[in-house]
């Protein structure tokens, strides 16, 4: 019996590793990828005029292939704050818990972009995002509906 050769899953953190804020991790498989969280980093006080810092998605997303969706773990700014800045340039469905979805809806509606695909998921849900199968589970955190 021959074993079918499969391509590996590549995990690339674009922010949030070793720092507080700017959480964003890409999971890449067969030239398709999902993004888990899309957060901002708050600038240091000496960075006058800078409101927020976001990961450099433009150059990386082009290299990774087709963006299948954003999966949001919870509604803190360091996990959702970059969405209004990147969703217009990189549109894809956004999967989030009810509480996080409402926070995201408010953030994006405050911009001039209104054509976004927000899909509400619940903890312990299983869903597919193109070739990615995802199962959520509840996580204790300082905000409701973290998963």
């Amino acid at each position: 019996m021959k074993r079918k050769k499969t391509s590996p899953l590549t995990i690339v953190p674009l922010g949030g590793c070793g720092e507080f804020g700017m959480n964003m991790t890409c999971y890449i498989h067969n030239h398709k990828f999902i993004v888990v969280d899309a957060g901002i980093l708050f600038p240091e006080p000496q960075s006058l005029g800078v409101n927020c810092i976001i990961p450099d998605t433009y150059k990386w997303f082009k290299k990774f292939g087709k963006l299948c969706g954003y999966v949001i773990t919870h509604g803190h700014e360091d996990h959702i704050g970059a969405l209004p800045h990147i969703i217009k340039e990189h549109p894809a469905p956004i999967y989030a818990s009810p509480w996080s979805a409402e926070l995201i809806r408010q953030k994006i509606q405050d911009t001039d972009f209104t054509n976004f695909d927000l899909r509400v998921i619940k903890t312990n849900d299983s869903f597919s995002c193109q070739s990615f199968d995802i199962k959520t589970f509840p996580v204790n955190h300082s905000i409701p509906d973290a998963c």
Side-chain angles (χ1 to χ4, degrees), residues 75-139:
H76 282 148
E77 283 294 308
D78 61 324
H79 292 263
I80 67 168
L83 280 171
H85 303 281
I86 64 174
I87 193 73
K88 192 172 187 178
E89 184 72 33
H90 308 288
I94 304 166
Y95 299 88
S97 66
W99 182 263
S100 299
E102 189 55 37
L103 294 172
I104 292 165
R105 186 177 290 109
Q106 293 301 315
K107 288 190 81 50
I108 295 177
Q109 285 178 346
D110 288 344
T111 69
D112 63 348
F113 186 64
T114 57
N115 188 23
F116 57 96
D117 182 3
L118 184 56
R119 301 178 186 186
V120 177
I121 56 169
K122 294 185 176 141
T123 55
N124 296 313
D125 273 357
S126 293
F127 63 96
S128 290
C129 181
Q130 294 200 18
S131 61
F132 294 89
D133 293 325
I134 300 162
K135 167 91 170 133
T136 64
F137 55 91
V139 177

Side-chain angles (χ1 to χ4, degrees), residues 20-24 37-40 42 74 76-81:
F20 175 75
M22 208 166 59
N23 292 288
M24 182 181 287
D37 292 330
I40 62 170
F42 295 103
H74 65 281
H76 282 148
E77 283 294 308
D78 61 324
H79 292 263
I80 67 168

